Amino acid sequence: MSRDLGYYWLRIAIYVALSICVGSIFFDVGTNYNSILARGACGGFISGFMTFMSIGGFPSFIEELKVFYRERRNGHYGVAVYILSNFLSSFPFLTVMSLSTAAITYYMVKFHPGISHFMYVSLDLISSIATVESCMMMIASLVPNFMMGVIIGAGYIGLLMMTAGYFRLLPDLPKIFWRYPVSYINYGAWALQGAYKNDMVGLEFDGFISGGPKLKGDVVLTSMLGIHLDHSKWWDLAAVIMILIAYRLLFFIILKFKERVSPLFRTLYTWRTLQHMKKRPSFRKTSAFPSKRHQVLHSLSSQEGLNSPIH
């Protein structure tokens, strides 16, 4: 991972550059009435698109899986060891990526002040990016080539972004399928809810009318953003971590299943190929049509009806 420039180093540089752009656009967003939607937009961009960029590591995932399949066939290590070592190896890079993004955007935008709020933003980003990478690894193990993986991965993450609660509020999602169960198994929905709570709970915003009563952050969350406050933001973070673990377990199951089933499929494919070849005329024991080339050769004496001393 450290030797490959495009695996993490380039992505870290892109994250830093994009974080500076986001910080400059939403610089010192404030607590006036218009800043409510600005904070929501900034949080939605960080929780959605910044994690979506993890799909850029898909080519490296494909190459890494090729190495794993070869070394696994040689018996160097097991599936569980590979999944655990892959996560531990990527964790320092994910930490640098998340901390740099959180530090730049948090202090430029001036989110809710406090070290605990900053730590929550960092942990939320780390767990979200790790979840997307685990999802991409799972998809990479299922598809036969790079292009198909990118298309399926981008489509899947796009659906998760649409049901995360920013483009359409969670209470307004159609109850069948999109609200239950898609939004509940969507890491983005939990991550965005936690980010909103972390930023707005405890803040006060100016009212729509200048000089009017202040709007509490709790009221803004429930009335404008559709976020329920019946559980803590830490439960939202725990839900993201549980989805991360679930993706890793699915990745393990897929690799073990392919390892057990692949020999059976290869055997079946070989048997069917041999059966098909036996039906082809060029592979039959007898000629499919009379030809002088395929007739059995006899000695000249036997053809003339004479006896040969050799016989």
Side-chain angles (χ1 to χ4, degrees):
M1 291 178 180
S2 61
R3 289 195 300 265
D4 189 353
L5 182 64
Y7 204 122
Y8 279 115
W9 296 119
L10 182 59
R11 290 163 58 192
I12 290 174
I14 296 296
Y15 267 80
V16 170
L18 195 58
S19 299
I20 295 173
C21 295
V22 172
S24 61
I25 292 173
F26 295 95
F27 183 77
D28 195 5
V29 71
T31 56
N32 56 41
Y33 184 79
N34 293 328
S35 68
I36 296 175
L37 293 180
R39 285 175 178 267
C42 185
F45 183 85
I46 294 174
S47 298
F49 186 74
M50 296 291 266
T51 56
F52 178 80
M53 286 174 55
S54 295
I55 198 174
F58 200 89
S60 300
F61 300 155
I62 294 289
E63 296 302 320
E64 184 177 306
L65 280 174
K66 291 179 181 178
V67 176
F68 163 72
Y69 290 142
R70 182 176 67 250
E71 295 182 346
R72 178 59 182 155
R73 285 194 297 266
N74 294 331
H76 292 309
Y77 46 80
V79 176
V81 173
Y82 164 69
I83 293 176
L84 181 61
S85 61
N86 171 268
F87 177 76
L88 294 178
S89 301
S90 64
F91 189 76
F93 297 97
L94 298 180
T95 303
V96 173
M97 193 183 303
S98 303
L99 286 177
S100 60
T101 301
I104 295 171
T105 56
Y106 187 84
Y107 290 105
M108 290 185 70
V109 179
K110 289 184 171 55
F111 285 118
H112 197 140
I115 187 63
S116 62
H117 295 278
F118 171 73
M119 291 305 300
Y120 183 89
V121 171
S122 302
L123 292 174
D124 196 25
L125 268 177
I126 291 174
S127 56
S128 297
I129 295 176
T131 302
V132 175
E133 291 211 343
S134 300
C135 178
M136 291 299 104
M137 293 290 288
M138 182 184 68
I139 294 175
S141 64
L142 291 172
V143 297
N145 55 60
F146 162 72
M147 287 302 300
M148 188 178 294
V150 170
I151 293 171
I152 294 175
Y156 179 70
I157 300 299
L159 287 178
L160 296 185
M161 291 175 63
M162 291 295 295
T163 57
Y166 173 70
F167 295 99
R168 186 170 175 84
L169 301 183
L170 291 176
D172 297 336
L173 288 174
K175 297 296 187 293
I176 299 176
F177 185 70
W178 296 114
R179 184 73 172 105
Y180 309 102
V182 172
S183 67
Y184 280 86
I185 59 175
N186 182 358
Y187 81 95
W190 297 103
L192 189 59
Q193 289 183 75
Y196 282 163
K197 292 176 185 177
N198 181 66
D199 180 42
M200 295 189 181
V201 171
L203 291 180
E204 289 187 348
F205 299 91
D206 297 336
F208 180 72
I209 301 175
S210 178
K214 296 284 187 179
L215 294 175
K216 291 188 176 181
D218 299 8
V219 177
V220 171
L221 286 173
T222 54
S223 61
M224 298 182 65
L225 298 177
I227 304 297
H228 298 292
L229 300 177
D230 52 354
H231 60 272
S232 171
K233 63 182 181 181
W234 298 103
W235 284 110
D236 296 318
L237 180 62
V240 177
I241 296 175
M242 290 175 62
I243 295 173
L244 164 63
I245 296 173
Y247 277 137
R248 287 285 168 173
L249 288 176
L250 284 174
F251 185 39
F252 173 80
I253 293 172
I254 291 170
L255 291 181
K256 292 296 289 185
F257 178 78
K258 292 180 67 175
E259 185 179 281
R260 299 290 178 85
V261 175
S262 292
L264 298 178
F265 277 108
R266 285 196 294 267
T267 303
L268 179 62
Y269 177 77
T270 303
W271 179 81
R272 292 190 61 183
T273 302
L274 291 175
Q275 294 298 319
H276 179 70
M277 291 173 63
K278 288 180 180 180
K279 296 179 181 179
R280 293 175 58 183
S282 57
F283 286 92
R284 291 175 182 173
K285 292 183 178 179
T286 58
S287 176
F289 51 89
S291 173
K292 293 183 178 181
R293 291 192 311 163
H294 296 89
Q295 291 180 359
V296 181
L297 298 178
H298 300 280
S299 61
L300 182 61
S301 59
S302 62
Q303 293 181 30
E304 295 292 335
L306 303 174
N307 291 327
S308 172
I310 300 179
H311 297 290

